[in-house]
Amino acid sequence: MLAFQHQKEIPVNNGDMLFREEPDVLLDEASINGTRPPTSMSGDTHFDRLSVTQVPEPAESTGDVAEKEADDFSVAGGYEPDSESGQDHHARRYRYQNHAPDRERPQQLPGGVFAESLRKRKHGSRARDASLGEYPPLDNEAGRKAKARERQRAKAHRAGGIRFAPWNIPLRRRLQIVVVMFHCLSIALGVSFFFFLCAIPLFWPIVIPYLINTLTSKAATDGTLRSRSERVRRLPLWKLFADYFPIRLHKTHDLMPTRKYIFGYHPHGIISHGAFAAFATEALGFSAKFPGITNSLLTLDSNFRIPIYRDYILAFGIQSVSRESIVNLLTKGGLNGEGMGRAVTIVVGGARESLEAEPGTNRLILAQRRGFVKLALRTGADLVPVLAFGENDLYDQVSPRRHPRIHRLQMWVLKTLKFTLPFLHGRGLFNYDVGLMPYRAPVNVVVGRPIPVRQVRENEVLDDDEVARLHEEYIVELMHMWETYKDVFAADRKEELKLLD
């Protein structure tokens, strides 16, 4: 069972014990779904590092679209992991090597995670660690460089409490600022240029057909990736973009090009700069680290109705997070014409999670999000957890806990207009403390162990137990990554990883 406290967070204990005894409220599937009220318990165990908090009903956003549309679609094409074709032999062997037999799996907890697995791993069970997959040691080179820069900033000239950057900063760092500023202003620049063209009648024969194409084009959903440009993705500009923070991509396990994948990116942050650098460009060497995998970052379909900006993001291979887009990407094209070697990256927490982004924290909207798991079952795509350490450190924003009225306004805007309204600030072009530029904070994007998924065909009904099992295993893997690398990449954290409902 999963312990749950109403209207407040479960406290986080930084000690060694993962579980503790405490009276609390007990929730099972019935009480979560509202069919039966929660019952009280005394002396039962609950998670101490993994806290779950009840939040308002989320509005539609990147992660919400996948969650909302996962229930009402069928899949044509794809391939069975258990088929006898030679190309699936390695995938089948991979699945059984990385899964313990059913009799060895710990008891599933309704609405929660594999508690027994976490307990055994905490107590050093080698058998369960082997079945989950060990993670290699990683180096935090970006963090060391960031601390060196911070020591330099401490000596910067101050005026009115604001630290100003010196004029003798190397040209490369100035270019990094220009590239990041260009990317952050890409929507405003694109729309401004479009209206400039509209103001000149000479361009109307071009503007009108372009606008019609923008409103009717299926380039973001048909799965062909015809607008994707490897030349744009490999421009040296994006290396400057990644080095600004800096952002680093860490590989922990191989991904076979004979499979297809759904990457779940956590946390959302304010703008998901780490996801853009890692999966929409080749600045961090994704294709070299994962050869044979064509990955597409997903965003809201409404972004592809913005003139000029739509062409900008399509050139990176960014696609819509709609149901149609995900199905087409993972069941068409690829090595076998049925999605083999394709991957999509979904920022699961969506816009709701961006309102929880505060430096030193990792609050994930994940506890009840199973839409991406259903998509994986329908398309036969393995699930790959991705944890971006430092994504939430790039901006400061108004805390929803210290300013509840502002948070209610943000939630109203999110539910009504379908986009967030974060009250944020970062650094400036010539100072370190005031502005809308992201801070130069390191972001370490860690790609975890793939979780094998067997495709459920269109004429089959999704098994709720299998959805719950995969969701729980995904959470366990994500927690395993956090426990393994938190002291490497999040040594200055303010709190442990939390899952919000």
Side-chain angles (χ1 to χ4, degrees):
M1 309 301 286
L2 177 64
F4 192 102
Q5 286 186 333
H6 289 282
Q7 306 300 329
K8 65 178 181 178
E9 296 177 358
I10 299 174
V12 175
N13 182 5
N14 292 324
D16 293 330
M17 294 302 294
L18 184 63
F19 302 95
R20 59 188 171 88
E21 303 286 334
E22 182 176 315
D24 210 322
V25 176
L26 188 64
L27 291 186
D28 55 14
E29 285 294 319
S31 55
I32 290 176
N33 296 331
T35 58
R36 184 172 57 80
T39 58
S40 62
M41 68 176 180
S42 177
D44 205 346
T45 58
H46 68 81
F47 303 109
D48 201 29
R49 291 193 186 276
L50 175 62
S51 63
V52 181
T53 306
Q54 189 177 26
V55 297
E57 183 71 20
E60 185 173 332
S61 62
T62 304
D64 299 317
V65 170
E67 182 75 18
K68 178 180 178 181
E69 297 189 347
D71 290 324
D72 58 347
F73 76 97
S74 60
V75 175
Y79 64 98
E80 292 284 357
D82 290 330
S83 67
E84 296 303 324
S85 60
Q87 65 190 12
D88 293 325
H89 169 70
H90 296 290
R92 188 167 62 253
R93 182 179 63 181
Y94 167 82
R95 182 174 66 254
Y96 289 118
Q97 283 179 345
N98 287 274
H99 267 287
D102 290 340
R103 63 178 180 275
E104 295 180 6
R105 290 196 187 113
Q107 184 178 2
Q108 298 180 25
L109 298 179
V113 298
F114 291 128
E116 188 62 24
S117 172
L118 289 174
R119 186 195 303 275
K120 286 184 178 181
R121 181 165 66 248
K122 189 67 180 179
H123 289 217
S125 171
R126 296 182 181 270
R128 278 306 298 168
D129 280 346
S131 67
L132 285 170
E134 292 293 343
Y135 281 90
L138 299 177
D139 183 55
N140 190 13
E141 175 190 2
R144 290 194 297 272
K145 291 182 178 179
K147 289 183 178 180
R149 288 200 306 265
E150 189 60 34
R151 287 193 293 269
Q152 295 176 356
R153 294 183 195 130
K155 303 176 184 178
H157 173 69
R158 290 179 178 269
I162 299 175
R163 297 173 298 169
F164 286 89
W167 290 104
N168 60 346
I169 286 180
L171 176 61
R172 182 175 178 81
R173 293 188 63 186
R174 292 297 188 194
L175 292 176
Q176 292 170 0
I177 294 175
V178 172
V179 172
V180 172
M181 180 180 66
F182 168 78
H183 177 68
C184 292
L185 295 176
S186 55
I187 293 181
L189 293 174
V191 173
S192 299
F193 180 67
F194 176 75
F195 281 115
F196 169 76
L197 296 178
C198 291
I200 304 176
L202 181 65
F203 292 107
W204 286 1
I206 300 175
V207 169
I208 294 176
Y210 172 78
L211 184 59
I212 295 174
N213 177 71
T214 297
L215 297 176
T216 60
S217 173
K218 296 292 185 180
T221 59
D222 60 12
T224 61
L225 297 177
R226 62 178 181 269
S227 299
R228 182 186 178 110
S229 171
E230 291 301 321
R231 179 177 297 180
V232 171
R233 289 170 58 90
R234 296 177 185 273
L235 286 174
L237 294 177
W238 311 124
K239 181 63 175 174
L240 293 171
F241 177 90
D243 288 345
Y244 169 90
F245 298 92
I247 303 173
R248 295 292 181 263
L249 177 63
H250 300 277
K251 171 185 175 180
T252 62
H253 293 76
D254 291 329
L255 298 182
M256 296 184 305
T258 57
R259 297 292 291 155
K260 42 191 172 181
Y261 303 93
I262 291 181
F263 287 62
Y265 187 88
H266 314 272
H268 185 286
I270 300 293
I271 305 181
S272 300
H273 288 305
F276 173 78
F279 305 120
T281 77
E282 286 296 330
L284 306 182
F286 178 89
S287 62
K289 289 181 170 66
F290 304 101
I293 305 297
T294 301
N295 197 344
S296 300
L297 181 64
L298 305 184
T299 187
L300 288 176
D301 190 67
S302 58
N303 287 327
F304 298 96
R305 300 293 178 258
I306 303 175
I308 309 298
Y309 179 69
R310 67 177 296 275
D311 302 283
Y312 173 72
I313 59 178
L314 281 172
F316 294 102
I318 298 176
Q319 297 285 284
S320 169
V321 75
S322 68
R323 172 195 68 193
E324 179 186 3
S325 172
I326 296 174
V327 172
N328 287 335
L329 284 167
L330 296 178
T331 60
K332 298 179 180 179
L335 298 178
N336 63 346
E338 297 180 344
M340 180 186 294
R342 288 277 185 93
V344 298
T345 298
I346 302 175
V347 185
V348 178
R352 171 67 186 87
E353 191 172 272
S354 71
L355 298 179
E356 298 290 340
E358 297 182 60
T361 67
N362 279 280
R363 305 186 188 110
L364 309 183
I365 307 296
L366 181 60
Q368 296 299 322
R369 295 221 164 178
R370 300 184 180 182
F372 70 104
V373 178
K374 297 174 183 177
L375 287 165
L377 284 167
R378 285 299 190 190
T379 58
D382 295 345
L383 292 168
V384 182
V386 178
L387 196 54
F389 293 87
E391 182 70 63
N392 285 345
D393 298 338
L394 304 183
Y395 294 94
D396 285 307
Q397 72 168 321
V398 174
S399 172
R401 287 151 185 79
R402 292 193 296 268
H403 302 278
R405 293 183 179 179
I406 294 179
H407 184 62
R408 285 195 293 269
L409 172 63
Q410 291 173 317
M411 290 302 300
W412 179 83
V413 171
L414 182 60
K415 293 180 179 180
T416 305
L417 303 179
K418 309 304 181 185
F419 65 86
T420 55
L421 187 66
F423 294 93
L424 61 89
H425 77 85
R427 56 162 290 170
L429 294 176
F430 304 107
N431 73 82
Y432 299 128
D433 301 304
V434 179
L436 296 179
M437 290 283 290
Y439 292 122
R440 285 181 178 265
V443 179
N444 289 279
V445 181
V446 181
V447 179
R449 180 186 70 86
I451 300 171
V453 177
R454 183 183 183 278
Q455 183 172 358
V456 178
R457 295 291 188 173
E458 59 178 323
N459 58 348
E460 301 179 53
V461 178
L462 286 178
D463 184 359
D464 290 339
D465 291 337
E466 179 65 7
V467 172
R469 185 192 69 80
L470 287 170
H471 183 257
E472 291 165 356
E473 185 172 355
Y474 182 90
I475 292 179
V476 166
E477 200 64 45
L478 201 63
M479 292 300 296
H480 188 16
M481 295 169 61
W482 169 258
E483 293 294 332
T484 302
Y485 298 121
K486 65 180 182 180
D487 292 329
V488 178
F489 300 128
D492 299 329
R493 62 189 179 278
K494 297 178 182 178
E495 61 184 36
E496 297 295 324
L497 179 68
K498 294 182 178 179
L499 299 187
L500 306 187
D501 191 8

